[in-house]
Amino acid sequence: MANSGQKVVLITGCSSGIGLRIAVTLAKDEKKRYHVIATMRDLKKKDKLVEAAGDTYGKTLVLLPLDVCSDESVKQCINNVKDRHIDILINNAGVGLLGPVESISIEEMKRVFETNFFGVVRMIKEVMPDMKKRRSGHIVVMSSVMGLQGVVFNDVYTASKFAMEGFCESMAVQLMKFNIRLSMIEPGPVHTEFETKMMEDVAKMEYPGADADTVRYFKDVYLPSSIDIFEAMGQTPEDIAKCTKKVIESSSPRFRNLTNNLYTPIVALKYADETGGLSVNTFYNLLFNFGPLMHITMSILKCLTCSCLRRRTISPN
């Protein structure tokens, strides 16, 4: 139970990665300003979180089961919170999907949207009425730069993030009237166990339905370039947690928060040309015409991005 003066923070998807690190970072706040409710679909996967939380577990951090894909689970979770009072909702649960779209079934695509889009909608719908009554609250959504700029072979994942960005941009206007803030956190590549395993798995997979050229472009062109970008520009879950903490502690939190300044020029390409040609042609040339040059550039960037520069990229300000 939260102590007087503590803000109640509910976070989805806390079994690993970004969600785990946000939960632990807030629970270990030196001023003990937060009562963290960390949630995950399967509590059998709680060990990493409990270990990372240390002596904050059971004090400033508690666990609840939650499946964002289930209306019943969402309602039951919120009902288990005292007075259904949540000051800050952090929507972090998400799944990825990568590969040639011809080889991805409609059912797989629906599963991505069920978590990444409808999961967020379910959570917001459940907490929003109580926040409106109190005229207070902050909703944070873990989005991605792929919610701002499409990325080849990430078609379905990108679409789910675009949908979420559009939904939240629309909701933010209404919520302001009730003194409720809505903030998007938009990381680029992040080094997590999930991402590493996914990259390893897709390199070994077969892609029935996709032609040989497309599979070759995916495996021999896209994947090596993606690995270069991850190594040169990738952040850690700790970086994203620090950025998220700054956003919720801001007196005037921004709606959009890119966590990595190195991605600002990439996103800016899209808005520099209303026809869309500039960004599409730039990414085409980078991937298919200037691959070796891009590899060299990423290698140089990796050397230049020392810990000093990386620390400067985590602030939303």
Side-chain angles (χ1 to χ4, degrees):
M1 186 182 299
N3 295 326
S4 177
Q6 281 186 320
K7 288 187 176 181
V8 178
V9 185
L10 189 141
I11 310 168
T12 68
C14 293
S15 62
S16 64
I18 294 171
L20 182 152
R21 196 45 54 186
I22 293 174
V24 171
T25 298
L26 297 182
K28 292 186 175 182
D29 177 65
E30 291 181 357
K31 298 178 182 177
K32 293 183 170 57
R33 289 172 289 183
Y34 307 106
H35 174 71
V36 178
I37 302 170
T39 71
M40 60 187 72
R41 186 170 51 186
D42 184 1
L43 290 184
K44 293 177 183 176
K45 297 181 178 180
K46 68 180 181 180
D47 292 351
K48 288 183 181 178
L49 174 61
V50 172
E51 181 181 355
D55 59 8
T56 65
Y57 179 61
K59 297 175 183 175
T60 54
L61 184 147
V62 298
L63 279 172
L64 283 179
L66 170 64
D67 180 359
V68 298
C69 297
S70 164
D71 292 346
E72 183 180 349
S73 177
V74 169
K75 184 172 290 292
Q76 184 176 357
C77 178
I78 303 304
N79 285 342
N80 283 333
V81 177
K82 187 178 185 298
D83 298 328
R84 292 175 55 93
H85 184 113
I86 295 168
D87 295 296
I88 302 168
L89 169 66
I90 301 179
N91 294 283
N92 169 73
V95 295
L97 187 61
L98 182 63
V101 73
E102 303 97 314
S103 64
I104 301 171
S105 70
I106 295 297
E107 287 306 311
E108 288 179 283
M109 297 181 191
K110 286 180 178 179
R111 281 195 291 272
V112 171
F113 270 81
E114 192 62 52
T115 300
N116 293 1
F117 177 69
F118 290 110
V120 173
V121 174
R122 280 189 188 90
M123 294 303 301
I124 291 177
K125 284 187 64 169
E126 195 64 33
V127 305
M128 185 170 59
D130 295 291
M131 286 185 172
K132 282 185 171 181
K133 288 176 186 176
R134 298 193 309 269
R135 302 270 169 165
S136 175
H138 193 173
I139 297 170
V140 178
V141 177
M142 193 59 59
S143 183
S144 166
V145 291
M146 291 192 204
L148 302 172
Q149 171 64 57
V151 176
V152 63
F153 292 120
N154 288 267
D155 320 86
V156 179
Y157 176 79
T158 296
S160 72
K161 294 297 185 179
F162 263 72
M164 189 167 64
E165 289 269 348
F167 174 82
C168 291
E169 188 171 314
S170 302
M171 286 296 307
V173 177
Q174 178 204 152
L175 292 176
M176 282 183 70
K177 191 65 177 174
F178 293 87
N179 197 37
I180 301 168
R181 298 295 183 180
L182 199 158
S183 298
M184 312 296 288
I185 309 295
E186 295 155 331
V190 181
H191 298 290
T192 65
E193 293 177 11
F194 169 78
E195 293 286 354
T196 301
K197 186 176 186 305
M198 184 172 70
M199 296 293 276
E200 291 174 351
D201 289 346
V202 296
K204 301 171 187 174
M205 288 172 61
E206 300 295 328
Y207 295 94
D211 61 272
D213 283 344
T214 299
V215 174
R216 180 167 56 83
Y217 294 145
F218 174 62
K219 289 190 174 183
D220 298 341
V221 180
Y222 168 77
L223 284 181
S225 296
S226 181
I227 291 169
D228 284 343
I229 291 170
F230 259 83
E231 291 180 350
M233 303 173 70
Q235 292 180 289
T236 66
E238 288 80 4
D239 292 333
I240 312 306
K242 289 175 184 177
C243 177
T244 304
K245 191 170 186 284
K246 287 182 179 182
V247 169
I248 67 175
E249 290 175 356
S250 170
S251 59
S252 182
R254 300 189 329 194
F255 174 66
R256 285 201 168 92
N257 300 273
L258 282 168
T259 68
N260 193 330
N261 291 335
L262 296 173
Y263 262 86
T264 302
I266 296 172
V267 175
L269 281 174
K270 181 173 182 175
Y271 298 99
D273 172 20
E274 73 278 7
T275 71
L278 179 61
S279 61
V280 171
N281 290 327
T282 298
F283 282 107
Y284 174 83
N285 285 318
L286 282 174
L287 188 63
F288 294 111
N289 292 335
F290 305 130
L293 177 61
M294 189 166 121
H295 175 74
I296 293 170
T297 303
M298 289 298 107
S299 297
I300 294 171
L301 186 59
K302 183 180 177 182
C303 294
L304 292 176
T305 51
C306 59
S307 59
C308 174
L309 179 55
R310 285 183 186 277
R311 280 196 296 272
R312 288 166 50 198
T313 66
I314 65 172
S315 173
N317 299 316

